[in-house]
Structure formats: C-alpha cells, structure tokens
Amino acid sequence: QVQVVESGGGLVQAGGSLRLSCAASGRTFDNYAMGWFRQALGKERDIVAGISRSGGSTYYADSVKGRFTISRDNAKNTMYLQMNSLKPEDTAIYYCIVQQVSGDYVPRFTTAFGTWGQGTQVTVSS
C-alpha cells in the first residue's frame, strides 16, 4: 500500500510563492499518476493539477494556469507544486493523491482508486 505525505504549506502574502512537496513510499512510485487537490473552508475538494507517471503529461485547473507548476522526481519518489503569484483565493488545505495507472497519462482521480495524503494548509493573506 502506497503512502503519501505532504509538506511545504504555510502563510504567505498575496503575490508570494510556496512550494509543496508530496513524498510517496511503499510501492513503485513510477507506476502512479499523481495530483494535487485543494479544499477551501466550506467548499468541495477540487483538482488543482495532475501529472502522469513519467511527468510528460500535465493538467492544470484554469484558476491556476500560468501560476502553478506541477513536477515530479521519480528517483526521489516526490512530487512538487510550485505556486507563484499566490492570491487570497488560493487559501485552502492542499491534498496529494496518487493513483496507479496502466499508461502514461493523467487520469480522473477518484477516492476509490487513489490514496490521499493528510493535507497541508496554505494561507494567503491580502
């Protein structure tokens, strides 16, 4: 069973940057697509970005395109989310998900087939 742990959250002023990390352990990392979701207070958990097994394919929500960059280092079993030009509306708990896939693509992540981390809080002050 793969396990994932997020880190890197914190408090930052609007316009600032943060880099989140998601470290995975327990299974062959490069068999898994990975993604970042976020959940603001009182709202649903929504996808932010996803990345394929090799890192060759990525997906971004419209709200973060051009500001966030997802990447992964399979040698380190770690995925990253570089967040620039942060806005107060980016404030949320950010969750990592890993999901085993048969090919090199970004899947539709689901709780049924994915494994979630515990989340890391990102707070952007205005």
Side-chain angles (χ1 to χ4, degrees):
Q1 181 75 15
V2 67
Q3 296 177 328
V4 292
V5 178
E6 304 95 334
S7 62
L11 174 64
V12 64
Q13 288 187 333
S17 298
L18 281 174
R19 188 175 82 155
L20 306 183
S21 298
C22 173
S25 62
R27 287 293 181 91
T28 305
F29 183 71
D30 52 9
N31 286 341
Y32 290 81
M34 304 185 75
W36 289 100
F37 281 66
R38 67 186 181 187
Q39 187 168 18
L41 191 63
K43 296 188 177 181
E44 294 185 351
R45 189 176 299 189
D46 293 323
I47 189 166
V48 174
I51 190 165
S52 65
R53 285 165 41 171
S54 71
S57 296
T58 57
Y59 166 84
Y60 294 96
D62 288 343
S63 59
V64 305
K65 282 181 181 176
R67 300 188 298 123
F68 290 10
T69 302
I70 190 171
S71 63
R72 63 189 292 167
D73 184 340
N74 286 350
K76 295 183 178 179
N77 286 5
T78 303
M79 174 181 66
Y80 306 96
L81 186 68
Q82 179 66 44
M83 305 185 295
N84 298 329
S85 302
L86 282 162
K87 304 175 181 179
E89 51 263 44
D90 294 318
T91 295
I93 299 175
Y94 283 70
Y95 296 91
C96 168
I97 184 171
V98 298
Q99 185 163 313
Q100 193 167 8
V101 292
S102 59
D104 194 28
Y105 60 93
V106 181
R108 176 183 293 271
F109 294 100
T110 66
T111 298
F113 297 106
T115 299
W116 295 96
Q118 83 290 348
T120 186
Q121 177 71 46
V122 172
T123 302
V124 184
S125 63
S126 57

